[in-house]
Amino acid sequence: LPEGKTLKTVLTPEQYKKLDAVLVDYMGVGLSNPMVAQQMGKMSPATLLTQLMVLQYLKAHMGEFDPTNLIDQYFQKQAKQNNEPVGGLETLSFQASLLYGAPLKRQIQQLDCFLNNLDYYAQLTERMAKAYYAQDVKALLDLMNEKFNTTCDSTPEEMAQLLDNRNLDWASRMPAIMKAAPTLFVVGAGHLPGSKGVLKLLQEKGYTVEAVKP
């Protein structure tokens, strides 16, 4: 957060109380703990929201889910062990700006949506994971298109910035990378489905896209 601001100063007392209760539920301690207040009290709402989603899934899958060894990290480790090159389609600074650079008011809105709809977001994550493992791209798209019909919903501009524009950029650069060497691209599940998804964009360029057989 900007200098001089904390979550306690940017959130309403009600929002702060809800947040504290969620942290106690997920971690056993809340913002009244000095260490938690120091570590999380100055996080931007967007950064905190990302952490809360991970904590929510971790609580539901204790012993099954390791947030320090996610799928992209797994493949990077494998590549390095095999002395294979690892690159990126975007810079970390671009991603940080995209994911955490929304106006503070909008970040607070989205955090508040999560705090008020915990069960929905928990189920949404489970349903998306199930669709992903089932290779059901249509189900993924349907889940991404679910709406509250409130300010909780991403605007068309936000969706274009988060997904569509990046998909177009990636699909335009993938052919040259693949031509240079066989390449594994690891992207978020939300980038796969739809007419503007990476799979469709590659098909439109003449590529054959097939699901990996289990």
Side-chain angles (χ1 to χ4, degrees):
L1 283 168
E3 189 63 34
K5 293 187 181 295
T6 66
L7 289 170
K8 194 163 190 173
T9 65
V10 301
L11 300 179
T12 67
E14 182 184 4
Q15 289 168 337
Y16 193 79
K17 184 178 179 180
K18 286 180 186 175
L19 172 60
D20 186 58
V22 169
L23 289 174
V24 170
D25 183 34
Y26 291 172
M27 302 194 308
V29 289
L31 291 162
S32 59
N33 181 287
M35 188 174 292
V36 175
Q38 183 179 9
Q39 291 178 339
M40 294 184 160
K42 288 205 66 176
M43 280 186 178
S44 69
T47 307
L48 181 62
L49 178 56
T50 302
Q51 296 296 311
L52 289 175
M53 288 181 168
V54 173
L55 287 170
Q56 184 183 61
Y57 194 79
L58 182 62
K59 182 174 183 284
H61 295 274
M62 195 66 67
E64 305 169 22
F65 171 57
D66 179 6
T68 66
N69 189 31
L70 303 179
I71 189 170
D72 50 344
Q73 295 165 316
Y74 169 81
F75 283 116
Q76 287 184 58
K77 287 179 184 176
Q78 291 296 310
K80 288 176 181 178
Q81 286 175 8
N82 296 334
N83 293 317
E84 295 171 331
V86 177
L89 292 167
E90 296 170 340
T91 63
L92 283 174
S93 59
F94 172 82
Q95 288 193 340
S97 174
L98 179 71
L99 297 174
Y100 309 122
L104 184 57
K105 181 180 178 181
R106 181 57 174 152
Q107 292 186 39
I108 293 171
Q109 274 185 336
Q110 292 174 322
L111 175 61
D112 195 48
C113 288
F114 178 83
L115 295 174
N116 289 323
N117 298 279
L118 294 173
D119 289 343
Y120 172 79
Y121 282 104
Q123 288 302 311
L124 180 64
T125 305
E126 297 288 350
R127 291 156 66 201
M128 288 195 76
K130 183 178 179 181
Y132 175 79
Y133 283 117
Q135 301 181 343
D136 191 338
V137 179
K138 182 182 181 304
L140 275 174
L141 183 62
D142 290 342
L143 289 167
M144 290 164 57
N145 286 335
E146 287 189 359
K147 303 291 184 188
F148 285 101
N149 294 318
T150 67
T151 54
C152 291
D153 299 330
S154 296
T155 66
E157 292 77 17
E158 287 170 339
M159 291 300 290
Q161 186 180 38
L162 184 64
L163 296 176
D164 300 345
N165 297 345
R166 297 164 75 199
N167 292 346
L168 283 168
D169 177 52
W170 297 351
S172 71
R173 292 194 284 129
M174 283 178 169
I177 298 171
M178 290 187 283
K179 188 175 181 179
T183 305
L184 171 67
F185 297 97
V186 183
V187 303
H191 294 280
L192 300 177
S195 60
K196 298 178 182 179
V198 172
L199 302 184
K200 184 65 174 177
L201 293 174
L202 289 175
Q203 287 175 328
E204 290 174 351
K205 291 180 181 294
Y207 287 92
T208 299
V209 180
E210 298 176 343
V212 174
K213 304 296 189 296

